[in-house]
Amino acid sequence: PEFGDLSAELDLHWSDQRLDLDAVHLVETGSGALLDLAGWLDLSGGAPRFDLEGDWRSLRWPLFGELLLASEQGQLMLKGSADDYDFQVDAQLSGAQLPASRIQLQGVGDQQAARLQDLQLDSLDGQVLGKGLIEWSPDLTWDLALTASELDPGQYWPALGGRLGFKAESRGSLAQGYGFNLRLDADPHAYPPAQLNLSGTGDVQSM
């Protein structure tokens, strides 16, 4: 089956439109993937309220066959209401076209948008930091900024050894178009140091 051989241990309680998840333990026996979840969900008021924590080990997609994406371990936290929530994610990632990385996210959100207060990606012996706002209602819009330092592409692509840093910003929407700015500083082993500055605009038709 697409979702493999799933084993579940559940300790749940439902009362007065509140679901208490004392323990949710899911294991896919073929791949060894494991997910634990605990917390509560309250539907008794206007907007759903929740306090959920989870952690996982050995997640991968697809569960069988050629690997596309894997997370050896990770944790998540989601707390608040659909109108005002906090979230945190800390996960190890790797994949067929993705070098081993650790991503940490922290932010707040509601039913229309999520604000990334702190994004940190550790990969390729360097670091990427970011923050920004993503809105999906009424239209998909964003205002994002990323700064990378001391990345070494040679950790994953040996021919591209050296150091790489960049600053990137993008703001706009799919409906009305977007703009971007990029400054790239490269110091590769096999080539002279270089600096690249790019800026531009786009829209759905030109993507």
Side-chain angles (χ1 to χ4, degrees), residues 76-150:
L76 64 86
M77 182 279 290
L78 185 63
K79 183 176 182 179
S81 74
D83 290 328
D84 182 14
Y85 58 85
D86 301 322
F87 63 90
Q88 295 180 13
V89 177
D90 185 348
Q92 294 181 3
L93 299 174
S94 61
Q97 301 296 325
L98 178 68
S101 307
R102 179 186 181 188
I103 186 169
Q104 299 174 79
L105 291 172
Q106 181 175 334
V108 297
D110 55 32
Q111 296 190 53
Q112 287 77 42
R115 181 173 296 278
L116 300 176
Q117 298 172 321
D118 184 23
L119 180 154
Q120 178 176 323
L121 176 69
D122 297 301
S123 185
L124 298 174
D125 203 29
Q127 190 174 80
V128 180
L129 301 177
K131 60 181 180 179
L133 175 69
I134 301 174
E135 298 179 299
W136 49 83
S137 179
D139 298 306
L140 179 61
T141 65
W142 63 88
D143 185 355
L144 301 172
L146 297 174
T147 301
S149 59
E150 296 298 316

Side-chain angles (χ1 to χ4, degrees), residues 30-90:
S31 65
L34 179 150
L35 173 64
D36 284 310
L37 186 65
W40 54 265
L41 172 64
D42 191 336
L43 304 177
S44 61
R49 295 184 298 117
F50 40 79
D51 187 348
L52 300 169
E53 294 185 0
D55 62 83
W56 62 85
R57 295 197 303 270
S58 302
L59 293 187
R60 56 162 290 163
W61 188 260
L63 293 176
F64 306 101
E66 184 176 355
L67 176 69
L68 296 178
L69 182 66
S71 179
E72 184 59 30
Q73 64 180 26
Q75 300 85 38
L76 64 86
M77 182 279 290
L78 185 63
K79 183 176 182 179
S81 74
D83 290 328
D84 182 14
Y85 58 85
D86 301 322
F87 63 90
Q88 295 180 13
V89 177
D90 185 348

